[in-house]
Amino acid sequence: MNKRRPPPDPVAVLRGHRASVMDVCFHPSKPLIFTGAADGELRIWDAVQHRTLSSSWAHSAAHGIICVATNPLIGENKIVSQGRDGTVKCWDIEDGGLSRMPSLTITTNSYHFCKLSLVKKPSTCLTQAGDSSYIDVSAKQLGSTTESKELVDNYDMEARETINAEILDFVNAEGPKYVVVAGEQSSEVEIWDLNTAERLARLPHSCDGSSFNYSSKARGMCMAVQAFLPLQSQGFLNILAGYEDGTMLWWDMRNPGVPLTSVKFHSEPVLSLTVDGPCTGGISGAADDKIVLFTLDHKMGSCLVKKEISLERPGIAGTSIRTDGKIAATAGWDHRVRIYNYRKGNALAILKYHTATCNAVSFSNDCKLMASSSEDTTVALWELYPPQSLT
Amino acid sequence: MEDAKRRRRELETKVLQKVGEVISTINDAKHVDQVICALHSLAAMLFPLDSSLLAGSIDRRYRDQVLCAGVPSPSERDDWWHAFYQGASFPTLARVLIHYVASNWLACFPLSARIHVYDAFFVSGPATEVIQAVVPGLQQNGSNENLDLNAICSNAERILVLCLLENEGVLQMAREFGGSCQPEDFTTERLNPIISRVAQLVASIPDKARLEATAALSSHLFFKQIATQLLAGAEERAIELCGRADALDRSVVNGTFLFVGETFSRICRRGSAVQSLRQMICDMMLLLFVESCLSPNIDCIVPDLFESKSGSQYWLKMVEAMKDPYAVERLSEQLLRQLATEHVSDVEAYWILWMLFHQNFKHQTSVRSMFVDKFLLWKVFPVCCLRWILQFAVFECPPTACLPTKGQNTKGILDMVQHLVGVWSKREFVQSASMELQAYSDVTAAVGLSLEKMSKEELEAAKDVMHSILQGVSCRLESPVHLIRRMASCVAFVFSKVVDPKNLLYLDDSCSGETIDWEFGLTTHEKGTPDALHSIEKAKDELKTSNTSVPDKEVHTVDDRIGKKMKGRNKKLSEYTMVDPDEIIDPASLNNEQISDEDDHDNASESSETLSDTSLQPYDLSDDDKDLKIKFSQLVDVVGALQKSDDPDGVERALDVTEKLVRASPDELWHVSGDLVRALVQVRCSDLTVEGEEESAEGKRQSALVALLVMCPFESLDALNKLLYSPNVDISQRILILDVMTDAAQELSEARSVKVKHQQRALISTTTETQPWFLPSGRGPPRAGPWKEISETGTILSWSYRYERELPSKPSQIKMGKSRRWSLRSAKMQENQMEWSKNKFPVYAAAFMLPAMQGYDKKRHGVDLLGGDFIVLGKLIYMLGVCIKCAAMHPEASALAPALLDMLSSREISHHVEAYVRRSVLFAAACILVALHPSYVASALVEGNPFISRGLEWIRTRSLQIAESDTDTECSTMAMTCLQLHAEMALQASRALESVDITFKEKSGGLPSSVLKGPIKIPFSSVEYQI
């Protein structure tokens, strides 16, 4: 223990983008990586061969992509891209590439920096084989407007490899397809239906006529959102939104007028919010010099700091928590990707590869890979603390 | 009375007659026994002599004569004795004994005879008379050829040792002068010349003794013995006088003390003799002091205690008796030094000084001025001595007392301090006082120490003190010598401490402590260990002594800690960055019970997961921000960054890369060099960088400028020379410019260039090989494949044959990767390259020197080289010297030398008040002497170039002047070197001139004498080269 291991190098570097790579995400089950660049190019990479599979101009070059996202809930072969041209586009993944035309285009008319969020559904932690006590994902009731769907899956922890696929297949059939995004009024959060391209709600719910007059302008723009479905909310969508002044609001869709709770962990705009697998906690990064690990208690409606990590150099553009909830990663303005033990909050590694600001980090669903995208037009793939069974 | 006198006179004539008889007998003697008999007959009259003792050793014929000599009664003998020694008899006889007998007969004397009839005359006589008679015998300039001078001298030495040392003759003398055997008519008036003569004789003995004389007469041992005897005599006398009524009567100075004092003064006058005395005196003083201070409470020593002590009295008297102020000064100086080396305490030293000098200090102005002026202002003392002097002479109270004399004495102190500060603050003092005096900082320390003792009110009461202090500090802060600047800051610190203890003035990091080392780390440690080391060692010792049980390891860690501390903030900073701030746990989170509970719960439930958690071993978390910095790759960017003074990081990074970029010599260098030079000169490193890193930033800036000057000299010099005299730069920038130019000149003169050596190849190859001539030759590396003809691609018509073959790779070639380079560089290339150096400087010499020489004497806004900015002037001259040296032996040097000589010889430069400037002038002059080619000097003389010959002559005369009469020692040694160089140059030139002479004679058959305008003087051969 005298001399710690030097931090690892990336296992692969994906080059090819001609502009800052704004976002990166993995396909839920296949070895595919999606990246979106600031010049509007959306690339699909083979995560095994590390080659570009396809490239398409998803958004105009002038505006560029700020976010790409996949989610088992919206379907396995779908990908959502958000551009700074005020649109969110949903694409089908066809053989060898994206569909020629987006399957759906939502015009949000929002021109800001906030990345959209798909709904995060509590998955069980990918725990070790011995621990099989926790097998429950109950039915989910989603917002009152759409048909509710009961999703029940019981699965065995030992067959973890296949379970993912099962869930995904299962979810693939149908699911609540929402996208949450900062709205036209940049202080508002809007929820759009991905099937119909209609706006379902706005938060704060100003047209509700409620007596609660929430001064939303004071918080400034919405900078980060995360939608999730906690177990206790009976399928109602919950949304965590971070604002320009550093506050975070937690909304429950059953009461869109008043947020469940409001906390202020950061002194600068919240840039990134991620909720962990069981939706009982998360990590937030901001433009100030700290990272906050927090807990979410739905019953109490409380959001508490679990651990505050202060940084040498400020600015966290992206955060991500691995699906097994063991480690979390942050993408820093200081070109570093930092890895933390998510449970304890201690630093595990400082990854130096990028030569410019890192924009996003993302873990693959099988926990084997992590991808980081940076302004230096590269995407780096890392293998960090691979799950025990694989070693 | 009358009768007694007559009787005495009669007796004296009788004695004289007897002596005359004896002498004539000796003169006529044919045998040694005759001489012995004659002497015996006289000795028997004077001393109680047992004749039988020597009778055995002489011949029978004379034995009876000896044995039956009449023996007078004791009273008669006493009369004879007095008559013999006080009259003219003894000197007469002594002369014969010393000269004639010693050379002719003494060697034949039997031992007993020598003791009883020869030595007895000296040993038994009064020492004062004896010494007067014997000492002249030491001198060998006797004109009489038939005397054996060597025998005389050695005999005289023997007698002196016998009388003075073995028989304690000096003690006897002291007693004699004291009056125990003093006749009535020995008045003080008669006594004084005798005392001084005797003292003179005693003190001169070691000098007069021959080299081969016995060791006891060497000045060291001799004076030591003499001093012991003198002090014993004085003490004895003091005790004797103690009870008497006139003991304290100051007007009557006893003869003993007069003699002792006089002898001490004489001894003190004799060079190094004092050194041998000081140890002894010091020991005795200390012993005395310890005796006096046996009283239990040392704090309340009162002067009375010492007054009452009889022992201390004689010291006082002795010092009083020393009339020679120079001797007093020497003695007291040596005493002070000795006290300092013995590390006596302040109290002891004060009382010793007090005992010795308090009377004289009160009554004699010379002693007072010795302490106050000479010792404080002109002598170099250790600081502790200085403290004692201040305590004794200025504050006039023991160190334990805290300035009790608020009344009349403060006036004196203030006057004194004012006087001190007045001298200290003068600019002339800073300029003219010798470096040692400045460096050892007596005056500074004195000022500082006295300031420490003063209060604010007192300071304010004194008229000019404050003003003078400020003036002194400010003119010292301008000095080029670091030490002097440090003195200034120390004094300023003390001053601020007095004026406002809450708001201390730190001009320097080094004097941050509460107490100031007034020795400035110079003299404290004889072995030259630096302060820091010393303190570490001390700390170590303390640790080891305090707890010896502590294992070594712990001591080491403490050592390390100390060591780290010494390394300063720089190190500390880096250590802080090593700790990753991410690991700092927010204490607020610990307070959160709920979370800590949860953590516990987690840990419990995750016990099964420990396996997986262990897989989360952290990697190395060290992080630095090297890669985060923007790297400059264009000179234009660098210039831009340097000009942005609000972005210190950028400036620092720009400085980092500037030198490399400049050395790469990109195309745009010529265009940006001017801007870059200006930006580099103007950038303020000290403001921008972190504390402790100024040095490296300055260094980078300098090396960048040097690189610029080397890579494109003309453009950069243009900009630099404009800046040098522009009012917009300060002194430090001017100094920087000059430093940079110096370095660049040196680098240019040592430029190296690589030249590829062409391999010799035979132009025509002999075709001894069997292959056809049109095939390429088979030469080449071994294992080369055979030549194969290849068909011409493209056109059908081919005018030539093409061949190819496969070559093995050379052993030094390493194929790495998929390199597409056609030719791999091999190590062999190195062999073909020949490095050769070439002086590139002369081309640029004029550009370096002439513009800088143009404006030095103009005084304009902010630029006053001849006045306040003398450091810049010194640097400028130094730079010019280096330049001319770099161009040495090139024609450019000869062309530029007259101009430089002209500048140097101008009065305001060559006679500049600051030694710093004078030193640089000498350096430049030496450089010129080295740089001029002898043949050029010769031709200048032949052709009558008045500038060169006049300038060289000026160098010689000026060096002579300085070597003879400069206050600065370094100046004079440099002048000596200069003279030597001049002589060498003159020699070379004269040789060159001779060869020229020959060629001239061959051509024109003679040289018109009018051609030679200036003669060259060749000092060592004392031949003036004149044609």
Side-chain angles (χ1 to χ4, degrees):
Chain A
M1 277 309 285
N2 283 341
K3 186 86 181 106
R4 285 170 165 180
R5 298 171 291 167
D9 289 327
V11 289
V13 178
L14 311 181
R15 301 170 203 272
H17 275 295
R18 277 152 284 191
S20 171
V21 186
M22 296 303 291
D23 203 1
V24 61
C25 67
F26 284 88
H27 190 274
S29 54
K30 292 179 190 164
L32 293 179
I33 299 167
F34 306 95
T35 57
D39 60 355
E41 186 184 15
L42 199 160
R43 278 185 185 233
I44 304 173
W45 307 80
D46 187 324
V48 178
Q49 292 186 331
H50 309 140
R51 285 168 188 261
T52 305
L53 292 178
S54 84
S55 164
S56 51
W57 297 100
H59 293 266
S60 70
H63 301 94
I65 298 173
I66 57 171
C67 179
V68 287
T70 57
N71 193 314
L73 287 179
I74 62 164
E76 192 174 48
N77 48 9
K78 287 205 189 282
I79 177 167
V80 175
S81 71
Q82 179 190 13
R84 291 198 56 202
D85 52 1
T87 57
V88 172
K89 293 176 182 172
C90 186
W91 309 81
D92 288 323
I93 305 163
E94 291 165 350
D95 186 31
L98 288 188
S99 54
R100 204 176 155 75
M101 296 294 290
S103 60
L104 185 86
T105 301
I106 304 169
T107 308
T108 57
N109 285 325
S110 52
Y111 306 90
H112 46 60
F113 305 95
C114 178
K115 290 182 176 177
L116 63 80
S117 166
L118 298 175
V119 178
K120 187 150 196 160
K121 195 169 66 88
S123 59
T124 47
C125 301
L126 297 174
T127 45
Q128 290 307 303
D131 183 18
S132 57
S133 59
Y134 179 55
I135 318 161
D136 165 49
V137 176
S138 60
K140 307 291 176 290
Q141 285 283 345
L142 285 185
S144 52
T145 47
T146 48
E147 77 281 287
S148 58
K149 187 79 186 170
E150 281 222 321
L151 303 173
V152 181
D153 53 348
N154 295 338
Y155 53 88
D156 191 355
M157 302 310 287
E158 279 168 322
R160 188 179 47 77
E161 293 291 341
T162 53
I163 285 166
N164 272 335
E166 275 178 21
I167 300 170
L168 295 169
D169 286 341
F170 185 64
V171 167
N172 195 17
E174 268 180 88
K177 292 175 182 168
Y178 303 116
V179 61
V180 180
V181 71
E184 199 172 348
Q185 291 293 315
S186 57
S187 62
E188 290 178 346
V189 179
E190 296 176 349
I191 301 160
W192 294 75
D193 191 326
L194 264 183
N195 290 327
T196 58
E198 283 170 358
R199 185 166 64 203
L200 300 173
R202 260 194 223 161
L203 296 171
H205 201 51
S206 52
C207 53
D208 204 24
S210 72
S211 56
F212 190 81
N213 193 6
Y214 211 86
S215 63
S216 57
K217 294 273 190 219
R219 291 187 297 265
M221 284 194 288
C222 175
M223 303 296 286
V225 287
Q226 172 73 54
F228 59 101
L229 288 167
L231 289 173
Q232 296 90 344
S233 69
Q234 290 119 31
F236 285 94
L237 195 64
N238 280 18
I239 289 162
L240 210 53
Y243 292 88
E244 208 177 348
D245 69 339
T247 50
M248 274 161 43
L249 298 189
W250 184 7
W251 303 87
D252 191 325
M253 281 310 292
R254 287 172 291 193
N255 186 2
V258 186
L260 204 60
T261 184
S262 163
V263 287
K264 183 166 178 179
F265 298 146
H266 295 284
S267 56
E268 297 282 334
V270 180
L271 298 178
S272 172
L273 278 171
T274 308
V275 170
D276 60 9
C279 297
T280 54
I283 184 169
S284 69
D288 62 1
D289 55 357
K290 57 191 169 189
I291 298 167
V292 174
L293 299 179
F294 54 85
T295 58
L296 296 169
D297 188 335
H298 191 265
K299 262 181 233 158
M300 306 289 292
S302 65
C303 175
L304 296 169
V305 177
K306 189 167 85 178
K307 169 129 189 187
E308 195 174 281
I309 300 160
S310 56
L311 296 170
E312 256 176 274
R313 292 175 286 270
I316 294 297
T319 51
S320 181
I321 300 168
R322 200 160 80 174
T323 36
D324 62 0
K326 277 187 181 159
I327 60 175
T330 63
W333 289 354
D334 60 352
H335 312 181
R336 312 271 189 276
V337 173
R338 285 161 201 277
I339 308 295
Y340 296 95
N341 184 337
Y342 177 66
R343 292 214 176 88
K344 292 185 180 147
N346 60 315
L348 293 177
I350 297 170
L351 305 179
K352 274 190 262 183
Y353 168 76
H354 291 293
T355 55
T357 298
C358 291
N359 288 323
V361 279
S362 177
F363 286 102
S364 69
N365 268 9
D366 61 2
C367 303
K368 285 181 201 161
L369 273 181
M370 185 188 83
S372 61
S373 74
S374 157
E375 205 173 292
D376 62 5
T377 72
T378 60
V379 174
L381 298 183
W382 311 79
E383 264 175 18
L384 297 162
Y385 305 106
Q388 200 81 48
S389 58
L390 298 177
T391 55
Chain B
M1 192 70 191
E2 196 66 15
D3 186 45
K5 265 191 181 170
R6 196 172 45 79
R7 217 154 47 88
R8 227 173 74 193
R9 213 171 294 130
E10 275 172 15
L11 193 63
E12 267 178 32
T13 43
K14 225 162 104 191
V15 172
L16 258 180
Q17 274 175 3
K18 175 71 187 164
V19 168
E21 280 168 27
V22 169
I23 292 173
S24 62
T25 320
I26 291 171
N27 281 337
D28 298 338
K30 295 278 183 292
H31 194 270
V32 66
D33 290 344
Q34 287 176 333
V35 179
I36 294 173
C37 273
L39 287 174
H40 175 259
S41 65
L42 181 60
M45 302 295 286
L46 298 172
F47 317 118
L49 187 69
D50 187 0
S51 307
S52 56
L53 283 177
L54 77 162
S57 57
I58 53 174
D59 199 83
R60 188 170 302 146
R61 276 182 294 161
Y62 304 100
R63 193 180 298 161
D64 299 337
Q65 198 183 333
V66 167
L67 285 174
C68 60
V71 175
S73 67
S75 70
E76 211 180 349
R77 205 193 297 146
D78 218 37
D79 289 343
W80 269 76
W81 190 89
H82 279 293
F84 178 74
Y85 280 108
Q86 274 155 27
S89 320
F90 174 68
T92 321
L93 182 68
R95 200 169 303 125
V96 174
L97 287 178
I98 294 289
H99 289 102
Y100 182 75
V101 177
S103 70
N104 293 341
W105 295 111
L106 194 62
C108 317
F109 271 41
L111 184 67
S112 59
R114 198 181 76 187
I115 292 169
H116 293 291
V117 301
Y118 187 88
D119 293 352
F121 286 106
F122 302 103
V123 175
S124 311
T128 44
E129 299 292 334
V130 171
I131 198 164
Q132 290 180 63
V134 177
V135 171
L138 286 174
Q139 267 145 345
Q140 302 180 335
N141 49 2
S143 54
N144 206 337
E145 283 85 15
N146 54 13
L147 294 179
D148 183 358
L149 286 179
N150 212 21
I152 294 173
C153 288
S154 64
N155 182 50
E157 282 158 15
R158 185 183 62 84
I159 293 172
L160 281 174
V161 171
L162 194 66
C163 294
L164 293 185
L165 302 183
E166 288 173 20
N167 274 358
E168 299 204 311
V170 182
L171 180 61
Q172 278 177 35
M173 278 186 240
R175 280 185 201 139
E176 282 167 35
F177 286 121
S180 54
C181 55
Q182 178 182 355
E184 296 76 41
D185 54 355
F186 256 46
T187 53
T188 325
E189 289 77 51
R190 259 193 73 195
L191 201 58
N192 272 344
I194 295 177
I195 285 178
S196 70
R197 195 167 69 238
V198 169
Q200 160 72 35
L201 284 173
V202 169
S204 69
I205 288 172
D207 293 347
K208 284 177 178 161
R210 294 164 311 148
L211 280 179
E212 58 267 31
T214 163
L217 284 184
S218 69
S219 71
H220 180 73
L221 286 174
F222 181 74
F223 284 135
K224 213 165 181 174
Q225 288 233 19
I226 296 285
T228 331
Q229 292 183 34
L230 282 174
L231 291 175
E235 193 172 5
E236 187 183 293
R237 189 78 192 133
I239 293 167
E240 200 176 297
L241 285 177
C242 196
R244 291 200 355 215
D246 61 346
L248 294 173
D249 186 358
R250 309 276 177 224
S251 60
V252 179
V253 183
N254 192 278
T256 305
F257 296 126
L258 272 182
F259 173 66
V260 173
E262 188 70 27
T263 315
F264 267 122
S265 340
R266 299 284 176 175
I267 293 174
C268 290
R269 280 257 174 196
R270 292 208 175 260
S272 63
V274 187
Q275 310 269 347
S276 55
L277 285 190
R278 71 183 210 188
Q279 171 76 49
M280 189 183 61
I281 294 177
C282 187
D283 287 350
M284 293 185 69
M285 294 297 304
L286 282 176
L287 192 71
L288 191 67
F289 181 79
V290 172
E291 274 172 12
S292 330
C293 298
L294 284 179
S295 59
N297 44 352
I298 197 159
D299 287 343
C300 55
I301 303 168
V302 280
D304 299 344
L305 188 67
F306 291 101
E307 298 270 8
S308 63
K309 268 285 182 193
S310 61
S312 69
Q313 284 294 319
Y314 77 90
W315 284 105
L316 196 63
K317 295 225 161 154
M318 214 186 71
V319 174
E320 260 178 83
M322 284 174 77
K323 291 278 186 283
D324 185 359
Y326 174 75
V328 174
E329 188 188 311
R330 286 288 307 264
L331 190 69
S332 36
E333 187 185 334
Q334 292 300 328
L335 181 69
L336 280 170
R337 288 192 191 289
Q338 183 61 31
L339 288 175
T341 49
E342 307 232 325
H343 303 290
V344 298
S345 74
D346 284 3
V347 180
E348 282 171 324
Y350 173 78
W351 284 114
I352 287 172
L353 280 181
W354 186 88
M355 269 196 297
L356 282 175
F357 295 110
H358 78 279
Q359 282 289 344
N360 288 19
F361 190 75
K362 267 182 215 157
H363 300 299
Q364 291 181 15
T365 45
S366 66
V367 175
R368 183 188 290 272
S369 78
M370 173 184 87
F371 275 108
V372 169
D373 282 343
K374 271 212 169 134
F375 283 2
L376 283 188
L377 297 182
W378 299 113
K379 290 270 175 182
V380 178
F381 275 118
V383 169
C384 55
C385 291
L386 215 59
R387 215 162 43 225
W388 303 331
I389 295 170
L390 278 174
Q391 202 72 48
F392 173 70
V394 180
F395 302 121
E396 296 183 40
C397 66
T400 42
C402 46
L403 283 185
T405 47
K406 275 284 171 199
Q408 85 287 358
N409 215 356
T410 20
K411 181 80 177 65
I413 295 175
L414 279 184
D415 285 349
M416 188 55 233
V417 170
Q418 209 162 331
H419 174 60
L420 258 181
V421 172
V423 172
W424 181 76
S425 66
K426 290 235 172 62
R427 182 176 285 274
E428 290 75 42
F429 178 73
V430 182
Q431 284 169 349
S432 62
S434 75
M435 200 49 221
E436 288 77 34
L437 191 59
Q438 298 250 358
Y440 290 91
S441 66
D442 252 24
V443 188
T444 309
V447 168
L449 288 172
S450 48
L451 274 180
E452 273 177 344
K453 297 261 178 186
M454 291 176 74
S455 70
K456 191 184 176 188
E457 290 72 31
E458 282 170 345
L459 259 186
E460 278 166 355
K463 286 184 302 230
D464 298 330
V465 170
M466 280 195 168
H467 175 71
S468 311
I469 286 177
L470 293 180
Q471 194 187 338
V473 167
S474 69
C475 74
R476 267 175 184 70
L477 283 177
E478 286 168 7
S479 164
V481 186
H482 168 70
L483 207 64
I484 292 177
R485 288 201 299 276
R486 214 170 115 206
M487 290 172 197
S489 59
C490 283
V491 170
F493 174 73
V494 172
F495 181 67
S496 73
K497 209 160 143 188
V498 173
V499 173
D500 186 3
K502 288 190 195 79
N503 188 13
L504 296 180
L505 175 67
Y506 295 103
L507 289 179
D508 195 354
D509 286 345
S510 59
C511 66
S512 51
E514 275 300 297
T515 52
I516 294 167
D517 176 20
W518 285 111
E519 313 211 341
F520 303 102
L522 276 175
T523 47
T524 19
H525 318 297
E526 285 90 350
K527 314 278 186 302
T529 44
D531 255 3
L533 272 179
H534 190 77
S535 68
I536 291 177
E537 270 163 18
K538 225 163 46 184
K540 218 189 272 179
D541 286 348
E542 275 169 18
L543 270 174
K544 275 179 185 154
T545 49
S546 61
N547 42 359
T548 42
S549 60
V550 174
D552 274 344
K553 199 176 141 201
E554 206 160 312
V555 175
H556 281 306
T557 57
V558 177
D559 276 0
D560 291 347
R561 214 182 308 143
I562 295 166
K564 271 175 199 157
K565 215 189 274 173
M566 305 309 290
K567 276 177 195 164
R569 279 175 218 150
N570 212 351
K571 170 92 179 169
K572 241 185 250 170
L573 267 178
S574 64
E575 269 175 67
Y576 283 144
T577 50
M578 290 293 284
V579 180
D580 196 71
D582 292 1
E583 286 189 338
I584 295 167
I585 296 164
D586 185 15
S589 68
L590 294 174
N591 297 339
N592 200 323
E593 241 176 81
Q594 190 189 353
I595 287 167
S596 59
D597 278 350
E598 199 175 82
D599 272 353
D600 288 348
H601 174 72
D602 266 6
N603 288 342
S605 70
E606 282 165 10
S607 55
S608 60
E609 283 188 25
T610 45
L611 235 162
S612 72
D613 260 7
T614 53
S615 71
L616 295 182
Q617 288 295 344
Y619 288 98
D620 184 10
L621 290 171
S622 63
D623 191 12
D624 54 40
D625 51 1
K626 269 183 208 147
D627 57 320
L628 294 181
K629 289 165 179 167
I630 305 159
K631 292 192 180 66
F632 293 101
S633 53
Q634 297 293 320
L635 279 176
V636 185
D637 297 343
V638 170
V639 174
L642 286 176
Q643 282 165 347
K644 272 185 222 155
S645 54
D646 53 342
D647 175 21
D649 266 5
V651 172
E652 219 182 321
R653 273 179 286 125
L655 281 177
D656 284 344
V657 296
T658 314
E659 194 194 348
K660 273 187 195 161
L661 282 179
V662 169
R663 295 262 180 211
S665 153
D667 288 341
E668 74 267 23
L669 183 61
W670 282 263
H671 306 294
V672 295
S673 60
D675 287 337
L676 193 54
V677 164
R678 271 185 290 277
L680 279 171
V681 171
Q682 299 287 3
V683 78
R684 302 258 164 200
C685 288
S686 48
D687 301 351
L688 298 170
T689 46
V690 192
E691 203 171 327
E693 283 179 10
E694 295 98 337
E695 290 293 314
S696 67
E698 282 293 344
K700 281 172 198 156
R701 174 184 175 199
Q702 276 214 21
S703 53
L705 275 169
V706 170
L708 253 176
L709 275 176
V710 171
M711 297 317 290
C712 71
F714 287 124
E715 291 80 359
S716 321
L717 277 174
D718 193 35
L720 269 189
N721 280 320
K722 269 181 203 149
L723 281 172
L724 182 59
Y725 293 115
S726 106
N728 300 325
V729 293
D730 61 15
I731 291 187
S732 70
Q733 285 164 329
R734 272 186 249 282
I735 291 174
L736 170 83
I737 292 173
L738 292 170
D739 280 350
V740 159
M741 284 168 82
T742 314
D743 290 353
Q746 269 161 347
E747 194 184 322
L748 276 171
S749 71
E750 289 159 6
R752 279 171 190 284
S753 52
V754 173
K755 199 180 177 187
V756 177
K757 194 167 67 183
H758 290 290
Q759 270 179 330
Q760 295 293 319
R761 285 211 180 102
L763 292 174
I764 303 165
S765 61
T766 48
T767 53
T768 48
E769 286 146 318
T770 49
Q771 61 184 0
W773 62 270
F774 51 83
L775 275 181
S777 92
R779 282 184 310 175
R783 289 188 289 116
W787 290 107
K788 280 179 280 185
E789 193 178 347
I790 52 164
S791 57
E792 191 69 49
T793 50
T795 54
I796 305 152
L797 276 171
S798 83
W799 295 99
S800 64
Y801 295 98
R802 300 170 114 221
Y803 296 92
E804 70 174 12
R805 65 171 173 177
E806 276 180 11
L807 288 174
S809 60
K810 290 173 190 165
S812 57
Q813 276 179 340
I814 304 155
K815 275 183 183 158
M816 281 172 67
K818 289 181 277 182
S819 168
R820 294 202 175 94
R821 277 170 68 181
W822 285 109
S823 66
L824 294 173
R825 283 211 155 203
S826 66
K828 258 195 169 175
M829 281 289 279
Q830 295 290 322
E831 291 164 23
N832 300 337
Q833 284 170 357
M834 206 173 68
E835 197 172 71
W836 58 295
S837 60
K838 176 180 177 267
N839 191 345
K840 291 204 292 193
F841 181 70
V843 186
Y844 308 112
F848 267 83
M849 294 172 69
L850 291 178
M853 281 155 70
Q854 262 173 9
Y856 74 92
D857 52 353
K858 291 193 189 91
K859 188 173 175 175
R860 64 204 101 154
H861 180 68
V863 192
D864 179 20
L865 290 197
L866 292 174
D869 300 345
F870 66 92
I871 297 180
V872 180
L873 182 62
K875 285 266 182 195
L876 170 68
I877 296 169
Y878 173 75
M879 187 273 285
L880 293 173
V882 170
C883 282
I884 202 106
K885 201 170 81 179
C886 288
M889 299 299 158
H890 286 260
E892 286 84 354
S894 316
L896 290 165
L900 181 55
L901 276 171
D902 191 41
M903 173 184 169
L904 293 183
S905 56
S906 69
R907 191 174 168 77
E908 58 264 39
I909 284 189
S910 63
H911 289 83
H912 200 278
V913 281
E914 288 289 346
Y916 186 75
V917 177
R918 293 200 298 274
R919 264 179 249 155
S920 356
V921 168
L922 284 170
F923 173 78
C927 288
I928 293 175
L929 292 176
V930 171
L932 287 181
H933 198 282
S935 68
Y936 174 72
V937 177
S939 69
L941 290 178
V942 171
E943 286 156 19
N945 184 344
F947 297 108
I948 279 291
S949 52
R950 209 187 298 145
L952 292 177
E953 180 56 20
W954 171 80
I955 291 181
R956 198 181 66 83
T957 48
R958 180 72 191 130
S959 307
L960 269 177
Q961 273 176 28
I962 288 181
E964 279 164 9
S965 64
D966 201 292
T967 50
D968 193 83
T969 48
E970 205 171 324
C971 267
S972 15
T973 50
M974 284 179 81
M976 292 302 292
T977 322
C978 232
L979 282 173
Q980 205 176 335
L981 286 171
H982 184 272
E984 276 167 27
M985 189 233 27
L987 191 67
Q988 297 285 342
S990 67
R991 278 186 194 149
L993 208 53
E994 271 160 15
S995 61
V996 169
D997 204 8
I998 292 160
T999 52
F1000 258 85
K1001 269 177 188 153
E1002 280 170 357
K1003 269 193 209 159
S1004 59
L1007 198 69
S1009 59
S1010 63
V1011 165
L1012 199 80
K1013 291 288 198 301
I1016 302 177
K1017 291 187 181 112
I1018 303 172
F1020 296 130
S1021 59
S1022 73
V1023 174
E1024 198 159 312
Y1025 196 85
Q1026 283 277 14
I1027 306 171

